[in-house]
Amino acid sequence: MSVNSLKYNEIIQLLSISNTTLIAVSKTKPIEDLQEMYALGQRDFGENYVQELVDKEAKLPKDIHWHFIGHLQSNKVKYIAPFVHLIHGVDSLKLLQEINKQALKNNRTIDCLLQLHIAEEETKFGLDQSEIEAIKLILPTLHNIRILGFMGMASFSENMVKVKREFIHLKNEFDLFKIWTNQNPMDATSNGISILSMGMSGDYQLAIECGSTMVRIGSLLFGARDYNK
Ligand SMILES: *Cc1c(COP(=O)(O)O)cnc(C)c1O
């Protein structure tokens, strides 16, 4: 058995108390590991690479909710548009417009999270304040996407004071955006803003304390990743 089922049960229990959803991040992991996780009852899986996601989707049960959590290139949206459940990493206006276009082609609405740049280190993708403002202006013209909330990645750091500051910053931006969507009803936000995707293996407990509603956990469940395989 390569999946840590004890850890899984422990995490599920904690999350049920705090009403938080678990995304099992299965990137680089073989189909068998996902099947094991599926047998434990897990239905939400997160992947970072388009080709890998497309391959896995074809081989695994259709009731899985596939979350795309990586950096998505506009020219690859078409491959996942038919089935993706939620795109977490929307980090440009251009990408959002392409998702809308591909959703329309597939005659569906695609749910998205805006990825904010919160890490004080300059290493992570994400929107800044001016880009959020630009997206707000264009949102009324997009009818085949739905913004359900925000996603962010904190600094990869042992410094939990810093990580906490970044999570609180994201939560504040999330709350402000929520107020804005209530004042400006439109298709693209019609169901309201309800998802705050933050927290990974190393910081998920802190993320939950700071208001996360969805955590993305990989290595704690599946073991360390080997990118050379
Ligand atoms: C890989 C990845 C995760 C999971 O990371 P772990 O530290 O293994 O839990 C979560 N979110 C994103 C965006 C990732 O790329």
Side-chain angles (χ1 to χ4, degrees), residues 114-132:
L114 299 178
Q115 181 173 1
L116 257 64
H117 184 270
I118 54 163
E120 293 166 11
E121 294 159 15
E122 269 308 306
T123 50
K124 305 255 161 62
F125 292 105
L127 301 158
D128 63 24
Q129 206 54 51
S130 66
E131 290 169 310
I132 296 281

Side-chain angles (χ1 to χ4, degrees), residues 131-212:
E131 290 169 310
I132 296 281
E133 294 308 318
I135 284 178
K136 280 179 178 175
L137 292 178
I138 211 83
L139 275 187
T141 69
L142 305 180
H143 302 288
N144 287 75
I145 54 122
R146 226 165 31 164
I147 306 288
L148 296 188
F150 280 7
M151 179 269 213
M153 287 173 85
S155 298
F156 189 70
S157 166
E158 304 271 290
N159 182 349
M160 285 298 145
V161 174
K162 176 159 126 181
V163 171
K164 185 170 185 179
R165 198 161 60 222
E166 294 169 355
F167 282 157
I168 289 173
H169 170 65
L170 182 59
K171 172 70 161 81
N172 288 341
E173 294 298 328
F174 171 76
D175 289 339
L176 287 174
F177 195 80
K178 203 173 185 169
I179 292 168
W180 178 80
T181 57
N182 288 339
Q183 293 165 344
N184 299 272
M186 60 184 80
D187 283 355
T189 56
S190 65
N191 277 21
I193 298 298
S194 58
I195 299 177
L196 183 54
S197 168
M198 65 181 190
M200 306 172 31
S201 289
D203 54 22
Y204 74 97
Q205 284 151 319
L206 183 58
I208 293 168
E209 280 172 36
C210 296
S212 170

Side-chain angles (χ1 to χ4, degrees), residues 16-152:
S16 71
I17 296 166
S18 54
N19 236 330
T20 312
T21 304
L22 171 66
I23 311 303
V25 176
S26 46
K27 62 183 177 216
T28 78
K29 296 297 175 183
I31 291 286
E32 296 73 39
D33 286 9
L34 283 81
Q35 283 165 334
E36 257 182 58
M37 196 59 89
Y38 182 89
L40 293 175
Q42 182 64 22
R43 292 295 179 272
D44 289 273
F45 290 86
E47 290 281 340
N48 286 52
Y49 310 103
V50 168
Q51 190 56 52
E52 185 179 346
L53 172 54
V54 168
D55 291 347
K56 284 175 172 170
E57 193 273 339
K59 290 180 185 143
L60 287 162
K62 294 302 161 199
D63 63 342
I64 288 180
H65 290 161
W66 293 104
H67 296 249
F68 193 84
I69 63 170
H71 175 65
L72 182 56
Q73 287 171 290
S74 298
N75 61 356
K76 294 194 173 162
V77 175
K78 56 178 176 281
Y79 302 114
I80 62 170
F83 65 85
V84 70
H85 180 70
L86 179 63
I87 299 178
H88 290 232
V90 176
D91 59 1
S92 76
L93 180 56
K94 182 179 159 219
L95 176 59
L96 197 60
Q97 286 170 315
E98 179 63 18
I99 295 169
N100 187 68
K101 184 175 145 192
Q102 295 300 331
L104 181 61
K105 269 194 190 168
N106 285 277
N107 196 22
R108 63 183 295 235
T109 301
I110 296 181
D111 291 338
C112 299
L113 303 179
L114 299 178
Q115 181 173 1
L116 257 64
H117 184 270
I118 54 163
E120 293 166 11
E121 294 159 15
E122 269 308 306
T123 50
K124 305 255 161 62
F125 292 105
L127 301 158
D128 63 24
Q129 206 54 51
S130 66
E131 290 169 310
I132 296 281
E133 294 308 318
I135 284 178
K136 280 179 178 175
L137 292 178
I138 211 83
L139 275 187
T141 69
L142 305 180
H143 302 288
N144 287 75
I145 54 122
R146 226 165 31 164
I147 306 288
L148 296 188
F150 280 7
M151 179 269 213

